[in-house]
Amino acid sequence: DKYHLSETDACIQATEGEGPACDTSCKPGVCKTPDPPLTPLEIAELNVTVYDPNAPPTTSLLPWANLTSLASYTPYLYSGYRNQMAVFTILILEAIRSGHGQFMIQSISMKDTYGSNKQVPFEELWDVPHWNSHYPKLPRLVYSDPTIHDQFEPGGRGPPKDADGKWTFVNGTRIPEGVEASRPAYWGAHHLVLGGFMRYSAGKGPYVGPRRSANPADILMQQGALRIHPDLQAVYDNLMESMKGEDGKPLEYMTLHARVEPDMQRHGVCRDRKVYNLTEIIRFVEEKWPDPPVPAVFLPINREVLEEEGYPNKKHPEKTNWIAVENLRVLDDVLENGLWGGRVKVFRFGANVMKGTKYENRPSISGSMISYFIALNCKIFVGTAVSSYSHGIVTTRFHRKEKENYEYLPDGLHHWTPPDMRLPPPFEC
């Protein structure tokens, strides 16, 4: 008022200058947003790719000497497919949180748990060059180098110990007392990491994003940074080719993940959310949609596991698992006769789809991955919060803006991811 200026003019006059802060300038065009400074990982990439013509490219699995690396303390992943991937997620988020630009791929081989029970190298199942192309948003997955990683022993549970219980390196030198391994660093016993994933999925712990949201790196993984190996992709493409309609176009389909195998009957957690009977789950679906919403249903059930208890025990009839017997009968019936009175075709792909491929000796883990990605790309998903497999599909579909997802409970189907849901549901079982 003293200088007879309007409030707007006074503001403009007071904030005019060379690039005032964005939150203080009120003159359009004056505010300048400076480019964010390069992160240490971006600087490391520039130093390698620009100034070292002999350095391996970003997409390579060969390590860079100017980046630190993290390795899993448990030297491989185990349990079911989705539990292995939950552990992998937290290992990667920890590498990012602790500033490591590389992760030792030899410490995260996967296990063919329900098949051969053997380990499978991670890079034989996943497209690692594609993953590495997302550096520095994701750490590079790399092989060990005896010079860069002199404290790493592939296949060992952390650095080996000598007879006195002291940490040693593969070259025989000792780590000084009180000093932890750093070439690479080690972190993460499997069972503890899995507990960390449950905390993370509930919006707790050090890895969550703003307002308890998912970590941006996790979202990037689920939106396509983590994709199956090209050889597995070829198997997937062949299967999807077989799912075309009479007009030659791909069929829209529903995924019904009915987790009714015998091991889930004995799984003691979240019993109040379980439905053990396949007939009941099918009834819920057909009541929800009196007219079929799709021409086909994908039913990823582990028939081989169901068969183990799916027949009457003739020697000890009192030990017969009658729930498994009935579920196997219903499974075979719907595979032959379909759903909705035969109007909808039902299909499943077992581990036998790997016969004749490089994965035929590791059929369970590779088959689970194929089924998972088929289940993921459906029009409608129906599953159970008791299963980490179902939960992983729902979370990924949520981040891909696919919210036609339903959970079956003892009282029927419930919309698992309604349109107004801001965060994906936590994994609590």
Side-chain angles (χ1 to χ4, degrees), residues 33-48:
T33 305
D35 293 331
L38 292 176
T39 67
L41 296 184
E42 289 172 328
I43 293 172
E45 182 178 29
L46 281 175
N47 287 339
V48 169

Side-chain angles (χ1 to χ4, degrees), residues 340-356:
W340 279 276
R343 289 182 288 168
V344 172
K345 178 183 178 181
V346 177
F347 62 96
R348 65 174 288 274
F349 299 117
N352 61 334
V353 301
M354 294 301 157
K355 289 183 178 179

Side-chain angles (χ1 to χ4, degrees), residues 48 73 116 140 195 232 240 278 304 327 340 348 355 405:
V48 169
Y73 184 78
S116 65
R140 299 175 70 236
L232 266 183
M240 297 307 292
L278 181 56
E304 292 75 19
N327 286 339
W340 279 276
R348 65 174 288 274
K355 289 183 178 179
N405 307 299

Side-chain angles (χ1 to χ4, degrees), residues 241 243-252 295:
E241 191 71 22
M243 290 172 52
K244 290 185 177 180
E246 295 179 358
D247 58 0
K249 296 180 180 179
L251 288 176
E252 286 190 329

Side-chain angles (χ1 to χ4, degrees), residues 21-289:
C22 290
D23 56 354
T24 61
S25 175
C26 24
K27 183 175 181 180
V30 169
C31 168
K32 295 181 180 178
T33 305
D35 293 331
L38 292 176
T39 67
L41 296 184
E42 289 172 328
I43 293 172
E45 182 178 29
L46 281 175
N47 287 339
V48 169
T49 58
V50 176
Y51 301 112
D52 184 357
N54 298 317
T58 305
T59 55
S60 169
L61 277 68
L62 298 176
W64 293 341
N66 64 345
L67 286 179
T68 59
S69 304
L70 184 67
S72 170
Y73 184 78
T74 303
Y76 52 81
L77 305 176
Y78 60 86
S79 189
Y81 163 63
R82 279 311 304 170
N83 283 352
Q84 293 184 56
M85 297 316 297
V87 170
F88 171 76
T89 297
I90 295 301
L91 289 171
I92 292 300
L93 297 186
E94 173 60 26
I96 294 170
R97 188 184 75 87
S98 54
H100 297 290
Q102 299 175 141
F103 199 96
M104 308 299 295
I105 200 167
Q106 291 137 300
S107 72
I108 50 171
S109 62
M110 299 187 71
K111 191 174 185 180
D112 187 44
T113 304
Y114 300 110
S116 65
N117 208 35
K118 303 291 186 181
Q119 300 299 315
V120 187
F122 191 91
E123 64 273 24
E124 291 185 11
L125 297 169
W126 298 99
D127 189 345
V128 176
H130 174 72
W131 168 282
N132 284 352
S133 72
H134 292 82
Y135 176 90
K137 293 180 179 178
L138 296 171
R140 299 175 70 236
L141 300 178
V142 298
Y143 293 127
S144 61
D145 178 278
T147 301
I148 301 171
H149 305 117
D150 61 318
Q151 298 170 334
F152 182 70
E153 182 180 18
R157 185 177 290 269
K161 292 183 179 180
D162 64 14
D164 298 327
K166 298 287 187 179
W167 291 120
T168 63
F169 302 154
V170 286
N171 62 8
T173 61
R174 288 191 175 190
I175 300 177
E177 186 173 353
V179 177
E180 294 185 358
S182 60
R183 301 185 304 276
Y186 287 86
W187 184 86
H190 190 295
H191 64 289
L192 298 177
V193 178
L194 189 57
F197 178 82
M198 295 185 72
R199 292 188 68 228
Y200 165 68
S201 72
K204 302 175 183 178
Y207 308 116
V208 296
R211 299 175 63 199
R212 299 176 60 233
S213 64
N215 189 294
D218 183 17
I219 296 174
L220 183 61
M221 285 186 248
Q222 297 187 59
Q223 290 181 339
L226 183 64
R227 70 184 188 190
I228 55 178
H229 190 281
D231 292 341
L232 266 183
Q233 183 65 44
V235 178
Y236 173 92
D237 292 341
N238 288 335
L239 292 175
M240 297 307 292
E241 191 71 22
S242 70
M243 290 172 52
K244 290 185 177 180
E246 295 179 358
D247 58 0
K249 296 180 180 179
L251 288 176
E252 286 190 329
Y253 60 95
M254 170 193 297
T255 295
L256 173 56
H257 183 225
R259 186 65 168 88
V260 295
E261 295 88 346
D263 62 316
M264 186 54 74
Q265 295 178 30
R266 293 183 283 272
H267 188 257
V269 181
C270 296
R271 290 189 176 275
D272 59 327
R273 302 178 75 170
K274 291 184 180 180
V275 181
Y276 300 96
N277 188 285
L278 181 56
T279 301
E280 280 287 284
I281 298 169
I282 291 173
R283 180 174 65 82
F284 294 157
V285 172
E286 293 185 336
E287 287 180 351
K288 169 68 176 176
W289 294 281

Side-chain angles (χ1 to χ4, degrees), residues 368-387:
S368 293
M369 291 171 65
I370 290 289
S371 291
Y372 183 85
F373 281 91
I374 292 174
L376 189 64
N377 293 322
C378 62
K379 179 181 179 182
I380 301 170
F381 178 76
V382 178
T384 171
V386 178
S387 164

